[in-house]
Amino acid sequence: MSKKFNQKYPLIWEKNNFYIKIYCSIPNIATGIIVTTDNATFIVDPGDGILRDLNKDYNAKEILAISDIFISHGHHDHVGGVWSLLTYLSVMKKKTPLNIYYPKGCLEIESIYKAFHSVYANELKYKITLKPIKNSRAFLKKEVKIKPFKVNHREPADDGFSSIEVPSLGFKFEHNSSSICYGGDTAYCDNLVKMAAGSDLAIIEAGAETNEESDLHLTIEQASEIGKTANEYFLVHVPE
Ligand SMILES: [Zn+2]
Ligand SMILES: [Zn+2]
């Protein structure tokens, strides 16, 4: 029997001027996350609805400050808002550069960007740089340390019983000696276990449809076990 887990969005967490708001994370529907500090504005997994959600909390000037987008993987519930976000920033006359970080091999992001560029290149006033992530090397953006890590996400194959690996990442963000670990979508994965442990906040998906272990997502039990190794945790991406 599948267990219902009632999660009320948005989920908000803050420590030492390090703030995260998860507007939504529902499998096959949408995810949408903002991470901010005093001088950083990042978006993580802009799924469908991200503009509506951002506009409830922020004015246009604040939204124009988005400097970096982090994509865990190319499934539509994690990238469905990229086109509208890029277009909105153009219409609002963003001038500062924007980087999009994503797992190397993520066709969806490269295709969205290519199509976007072919339509809007002439009127675009801000520079978009695609940053495919090939390894787990940490880097610094606006005084936030970002450590990407490979996770273990798959999608069902056409044959109906096997599955195919999806290029997918989790991200650990650190600022003012506080840390947030976001695992993206993943089945059980040693990297996630390692990165979540000791984090101030762990955001762990529990997207498995049943309590059976799957190679696509974590069960609530697996996700809770990983979450408990952090100081605090949210279970997200729970089927509704
Ligand atoms: Zn998903
Ligand atoms: Zn997925």
Side-chain angles (χ1 to χ4, degrees), residues 26-28 31 73 75 77-78 153 185 205 217 237:
I26 303 168
N28 209 27
T31 289
H73 66 296
H75 284 160
D77 47 335
H78 300 257
H153 190 36
D185 281 10
E205 76 110 281
H217 294 287
H237 210 270

Side-chain angles (χ1 to χ4, degrees), residues 25 139 143 224 230:
S25 176
F139 54 95
E143 292 155 28
S224 311

Side-chain angles (χ1 to χ4, degrees), residues 113-236:
Y113 172 74
K114 212 170 141 193
F116 178 81
H117 194 262
S118 74
V119 178
Y120 294 108
N122 289 337
E123 59 200 76
L124 208 58
K125 298 281 183 295
Y126 70 100
K127 185 172 166 45
I128 303 172
T129 308
L130 292 188
K131 303 268 197 184
I133 292 179
K134 308 173 183 96
N135 55 45
S136 300
R137 208 172 304 134
F139 54 95
L140 203 64
K141 299 293 301 189
K142 310 234 169 201
E143 292 155 28
V144 180
K145 186 177 151 197
I146 298 113
K147 168 101 176 137
F149 57 96
K150 195 176 176 314
V151 292
N152 172 27
H153 190 36
R154 305 179 73 83
E155 63 191 17
D158 285 342
D159 62 19
F161 50 89
S162 58
S163 61
I164 306 163
E165 190 181 350
V166 176
S168 46
L169 295 171
F171 296 98
K172 188 155 176 174
F173 300 95
E174 288 178 35
H175 176 70
N176 277 353
S177 34
S178 301
S179 57
I180 299 172
C181 174
Y182 170 60
D185 281 10
T186 183
Y188 191 85
C189 160
D190 288 336
N191 276 350
L192 176 61
V193 170
K194 225 182 293 165
M195 299 304 279
S199 294
D200 289 292
L201 176 70
I203 300 156
I204 311 291
E205 76 110 281
E209 288 289 345
T210 67
N211 290 334
E212 304 287 312
E213 272 183 42
S214 86
D215 56 355
L216 312 182
H217 294 287
L218 294 165
T219 66
I220 290 211
E221 198 171 48
Q222 289 175 318
S224 311
E225 226 163 84
I226 297 170
K228 280 175 194 154
T229 67
N231 295 345
E232 292 175 72
Y233 70 101
F234 291 140
L235 294 190
V236 298

Side-chain angles (χ1 to χ4, degrees), residues 47-60:
D48 187 29
I50 190 73
L51 279 183
R52 174 204 58 207
D53 290 337
L54 289 175
N55 270 282
K56 277 185 209 149
D57 290 342
Y58 300 98
N59 60 36

